[in-house]
Each structure stands twice: as structure tokens, then as C-alpha cells.
Amino acid sequence: MVYKVVYIEDQDAESVIHDLSQCDLEVVHCHPGTFKETITKVDSHKPDLILMDFRLMQGGGEVNAPAIAQYYRSLSIDNSSLCLPVVLLSNDTKIHGFYDDFTSHDLFDFFIIKENLSENKEKYSLLMKEHIESYKFISTLQAREEDLTELLKVPKKLELDIDPRIKETLRNKKYKSNIYMASKFIFNNVVKSIGVLIGEDVLSARLGIDKSSESWDELCSQLKECEYTGIYSGSYRRWWADGIEVWWNETIEESNHLRRFNSEEKLTVICSKLPGLKLKKVEGDLNTKTDNFWTICQCSLLPVDPSEAFEIQADLTLMPWLDTQYYSYESVRDYDLNDQLTDIEKSRYKDIARGI
């Protein structure tokens, strides 16, 4: 099915239209005018998704993106069928700050830097399609008054292990009646973050196996039962963290917790159970002293041992089921993150820097 995207842009729109049209999206350009004129134009096309540039007043428009986004968000409060994904697009590399602010006001589903769209049009087109399809799925469940946890497609053997606060959140009236809020919650706090789900880099760290191993894909196929298949799984390949533990216990038949082994030991255990696979252990950065890897550095994405890596001050807005974010010594140094460390971590960082 070809979905329709209305692209609101006051400048040249041809390159974006060309890129997205190559990925089975019908893109209609809407040149902004006054607020009312812009809304009328958008509505006349009956879009499945609205894509808009952040700054719309440089080419004659009289309104910027946040005002338009706010209109569609408020419109859907009384009628959820009018709820549409709204995506922000910009040339401005400083848009991260604007986006963080406007996301907190519940306006945009996600944002794209124009340069990145051109280089990764398949990735972003898929993400747009998945938002459209997820909105439709959520709408169907809401209309039937069914449990929104169905969106996650949790494997039966893991249903009792999922953090109950996720289920409680999705059963809250705010999420049961607002498509955007339900979608945003799952997208940002379940799928994209490290917690109940983990991505390929974290999977590599926890298994102690390098992703460049000849048999890496075959190893991943062994984990099919714990691979995430809920909404946004097409854009983000994820595995259930608890599912990996179950696989370790049941398939690898190892009773000791996965976290108790270093990479060399995990490699030995896995290869002894799956002798046909050609695997090699994962390595950290050049200054890594231990290989009890469990997560990744948020900057380099390389595996780190939480006891060796550095923890920044807690973000009190993070959901309780999300993992702590860690940074390697090199990342703290190179990205000047020292001021963000906890007091204890600052002291430890200074000792390492001084060679103590």
C-alpha cells in the first residue's frame, strides 16, 4: 500500500519528494501561507503523515512548524481518528535542542536532518510507514477497547517477566485514548532505549560475541524466539532482554547467570553448545581493562563493563525500567562529559587521568 505524505516546505521541495517517492511514498508538496491557508491545503490532501520543515517563514509562509503540529495534536484530543504522525525535518543541525523542547510538549513523533534523509532514505521511509501503520493498529485496539500491550507482541513465556509498570502505563486513560501518546511511549521508552529490549550492539556485549563473526547471523537466528516483533520492529531490530536470559538457561543449558561470565568464558560456553558456529569474542576499546561486558558506551557504541565505565548523573525523567547509561573513559574525555558525572565518578575519572 502506498501512503500519502504531505510535505510542508517554504523552499525547494524537489529533492525530498524525489528521495521519498523512490521508497513507495506518495509525497505532496504544500507551500505554507497563513495558518488557515496551510491547514486547509493539508486537509484537502487527506494525508497519512505530515512532514514539515521547522522554519516555514523564510519563503513567504506566515507560520512555523510547532503551531501547525500543535493544531493537529489538539484536534485529535476530541477525535482520535484525526490523529496523524507529524515528523519534523530541518537543515539546522542544532534542531536537537528544538526537538527535545517540542517533544516535551507532545508535538512531533521524530525528527530528521535533511542531509541524513538523503543518505538514508530507505531507513526513514520505513520509519514513516511504521508510524502510519502503528497509528492504525493503535486506533483499532482503542476502538475495540483492547489491551494496548498487544502492540508489543510479548512472547508468552515472557509475559510474567515484563515490568508491570509498562502494562500499567499503557492501561492508563491518557494512553488508551490518545494514539500519539501511546505510540510515543512505546517508541521512545520501550523500543529505542536499552531496558526491556536491547539492540544488536548490546546483544553482542552481553553474549561476548563480536558482530563481525562469520556466524553472527546464524547465532542471531538461534535467538528468534526472543526477537521483538511488535510495532517499530521493522526499523529497530531488538531482542527481549529477559528472553536472552531464558535462551542462556534453556538452550545453552547454563544455570549460572549470563552476567557472571566474561567474554572469553561466554564464547567458550556458546561454542561448546553450538560447535558449528564460527564465532570470536567481542573487544572493547584499546584502554579496556576488563571484558565483563554487559552494555555499551553511549558515544562509541563499543562494549563496556559497567564497573569500569562511567555513569553520568541520573536523568530523573527516565522510566524506571530503562538501563543506566554508561560512557567509556575515552568518551568522557573526548566529549567533555566530566561535568555530567556523579561526584564519585568525577573523582574516579580524575584518578585515572592522573594515572593513579
Side-chain angles (χ1 to χ4, degrees):
M1 180 177 181
V2 176
Y3 294 116
K4 181 181 288 186
V5 174
V6 167
Y7 175 36
I8 307 175
E9 169 63 270
D10 62 332
Q11 305 291 333
D12 178 46
E14 288 305 312
S15 62
V16 171
I17 293 175
H18 176 266
D19 287 339
L20 295 181
S21 297
Q22 288 184 315
C23 300
D24 298 322
L25 287 171
E26 179 186 349
V27 186
V28 179
H29 178 213
C30 173
H31 193 286
T34 65
F35 177 82
K36 185 176 181 180
E37 289 171 345
T38 304
I39 295 299
T40 300
K41 288 179 184 177
V42 171
D43 289 346
S44 69
H45 294 295
K46 298 181 179 179
D48 295 300
L49 179 146
I50 299 172
L51 175 67
M52 66 178 89
D53 188 64
F54 179 71
R55 304 182 191 283
L56 298 172
M57 301 173 68
Q58 297 173 328
E62 298 180 22
V63 61
N64 268 332
I68 298 173
Q70 182 62 63
Y71 169 79
Y72 283 101
R73 292 302 178 215
S74 61
L75 197 65
S76 64
I77 293 175
D78 297 323
N79 187 347
S80 62
S81 66
L82 300 177
C83 195
L84 296 172
V86 182
V87 180
L88 189 63
L89 182 69
S90 181
N91 276 320
D92 192 347
T93 55
K94 296 179 181 179
I95 199 66
H96 287 271
F98 293 115
Y99 174 74
D100 290 340
D101 182 45
F102 291 123
T103 297
S104 67
H105 290 84
D106 300 328
L107 296 182
F108 302 103
D109 290 273
F110 64 96
F111 81 95
I112 311 170
I113 300 297
K114 283 186 180 178
E115 182 180 347
N116 294 343
L117 174 62
S118 180
E119 295 172 353
N120 302 280
K121 53 181 176 286
E122 292 84 4
K123 168 187 172 181
Y124 287 114
S125 295
L126 176 59
L127 189 52
M128 289 183 199
K129 293 173 186 176
E130 284 206 287
H131 269 79
I132 294 169
E133 291 162 0
S134 295
Y135 269 51
K136 293 179 184 295
F137 189 10
I138 294 169
S139 178
T140 299
L141 292 180
Q142 289 178 340
R144 296 174 180 170
E145 297 186 348
E146 294 182 13
D147 196 332
L148 294 184
T149 55
E150 291 296 319
L151 298 165
L152 302 176
K153 296 185 179 180
V154 182
K156 287 192 178 298
K157 65 168 58 178
L158 299 179
E159 287 179 347
L160 298 178
D161 297 322
I162 300 304
D163 193 306
R165 289 167 293 191
I166 295 177
K167 298 177 182 179
E168 290 169 6
T169 300
L170 289 172
R171 289 167 182 161
N172 183 285
K173 182 179 178 180
K174 178 172 66 173
Y175 297 93
K176 289 175 67 175
S177 62
N178 189 306
I179 296 173
Y180 166 69
M181 293 298 291
S183 169
K184 173 191 171 184
F185 170 77
I186 293 175
F187 185 60
N188 290 325
N189 298 303
V190 178
V191 176
K192 289 178 63 180
S193 306
I194 301 173
V196 292
L197 298 178
I198 58 173
E200 197 169 11
D201 292 314
V202 178
L203 178 66
S204 170
R206 293 193 181 180
L207 295 181
I209 306 298
D210 196 306
K211 293 188 302 179
S212 66
S213 299
E214 184 177 338
S215 298
W216 173 253
D217 289 338
E218 192 174 346
L219 176 61
C220 289
S221 70
Q222 297 277 337
L223 302 167
K224 201 69 178 176
E225 287 190 1
C226 49
E227 189 165 356
Y228 175 68
T229 59
I231 60 174
Y232 304 119
S233 59
S235 297
Y236 292 85
R237 193 180 188 191
R238 296 289 187 264
W239 289 263
W240 292 98
D242 287 332
I244 301 302
E245 298 288 346
V246 172
W247 174 82
W248 179 256
N249 296 146
E250 295 183 356
T251 302
I252 301 301
E253 299 179 323
E254 177 53 64
S255 58
N256 289 313
H257 196 283
L258 182 61
R259 197 163 187 171
R260 295 184 60 182
F261 297 81
N262 62 33
S263 293
E264 188 68 52
E265 292 167 339
K266 286 184 236 187
L267 174 65
T268 300
V269 171
I270 292 174
C271 286
S272 67
K273 191 64 181 179
L274 305 171
L277 300 187
K278 297 179 180 179
L279 305 170
K280 59 183 180 181
K281 76 169 186 174
V282 71
E283 302 283 354
D285 61 40
L286 295 177
N287 292 302
T288 296
K289 293 183 174 61
T290 72
D291 62 351
N292 291 89
F293 303 130
W294 189 249
T295 188
I296 56 173
C297 167
Q298 292 296 304
C299 289
S300 69
L301 304 184
L302 291 173
V304 293
D305 175 351
S307 67
E308 184 180 26
F310 292 87
E311 179 182 346
I312 63 172
Q313 296 175 27
D315 181 351
L316 299 180
T317 65
L318 287 179
M319 297 298 179
W321 55 81
L322 299 182
D323 285 9
T324 300
Q325 295 184 347
Y326 291 95
Y327 296 82
S328 67
Y329 170 80
E330 288 72 16
S331 292
V332 174
R333 179 194 64 201
D334 297 342
Y335 292 92
D336 196 23
L337 300 175
N338 186 47
D339 289 342
Q340 298 182 42
L341 300 179
T342 62
D343 290 339
I344 293 176
E345 294 288 62
K346 284 180 182 178
S347 177
R348 184 164 69 90
Y349 174 78
K350 290 178 181 178
D351 288 344
I352 295 175
R354 293 168 182 161
I356 297 176

